[in-house]
Amino acid sequence: MSVKVERMEQIIQKEVAIILRNEIKDPRIAWVIITDVECTNDLSYAKIYVSFIKNDYTNEAIFESLEKAKGFIRSKLSGHLKTRKVPQLIFEYDDSLDKGNRIDELLKNV
């Protein structure tokens, strides 16, 4: 992977987190955490891995809100990127935090 792609992933992760925190008023998205971003080599797609802090909403409801806000996030992101083309955003659930917590619980019980 090139340095350009890695740098773009870092910028997208930072900027999307700021947009989610400051620009979107949907309470379902308030506790979303961006854990990682993977871009294709041509920067046409960005897969954004998200996790959630415990909340009152189901994962499906949160993903529905993210899908509805995807166009808004992408338009705001275009103002922060210095590229001609803004990648399509794909949100995916990152279960690594859940797995880590489960391993911690198992280790505590041993």
Side-chain angles (χ1 to χ4, degrees):
M1 184 179 315
S2 71
V3 174
K4 178 182 177 184
V5 173
E6 288 179 20
R7 181 71 181 127
M8 186 61 68
E9 290 171 349
Q10 293 171 357
I11 292 170
I12 290 172
Q13 182 172 356
K14 178 183 154 213
E15 294 299 332
V16 170
I18 291 170
I19 292 167
L20 289 177
R21 185 180 65 231
N22 297 335
E23 303 283 338
I24 299 193
K25 304 301 181 204
D26 190 337
R28 294 176 287 190
I29 299 178
W31 300 105
V32 172
I33 300 169
I34 308 293
T35 57
D36 195 20
V37 174
E38 290 180 358
C39 290
T40 57
N41 287 335
D42 63 352
L43 300 176
S44 60
Y45 291 95
K47 192 178 289 188
I48 301 174
Y49 292 95
V50 296
S51 187
F52 317 117
I53 296 176
K54 292 183 181 180
N55 54 42
D56 300 333
Y57 304 103
T58 64
N59 290 359
E60 292 81 21
I62 295 171
F63 268 106
E64 183 179 308
S65 294
L66 285 171
E67 287 297 318
K68 285 182 181 177
K70 188 186 292 189
F72 176 77
I73 295 168
R74 190 167 180 239
S75 68
K76 287 290 187 179
L77 188 61
S78 68
H80 299 283
L81 298 180
K82 304 284 191 260
T83 59
R84 181 183 299 178
K85 183 169 64 170
V86 177
Q88 293 287 331
L89 305 178
I90 302 168
F91 291 100
E92 290 205 9
Y93 183 68
D94 183 7
D95 61 350
S96 62
L97 294 176
D98 296 337
K99 289 178 182 177
N101 289 337
R102 174 137 170 75
I103 290 170
D104 284 343
E105 288 299 317
L106 291 173
L107 289 174
K108 286 179 186 177
N109 293 333
V110 172

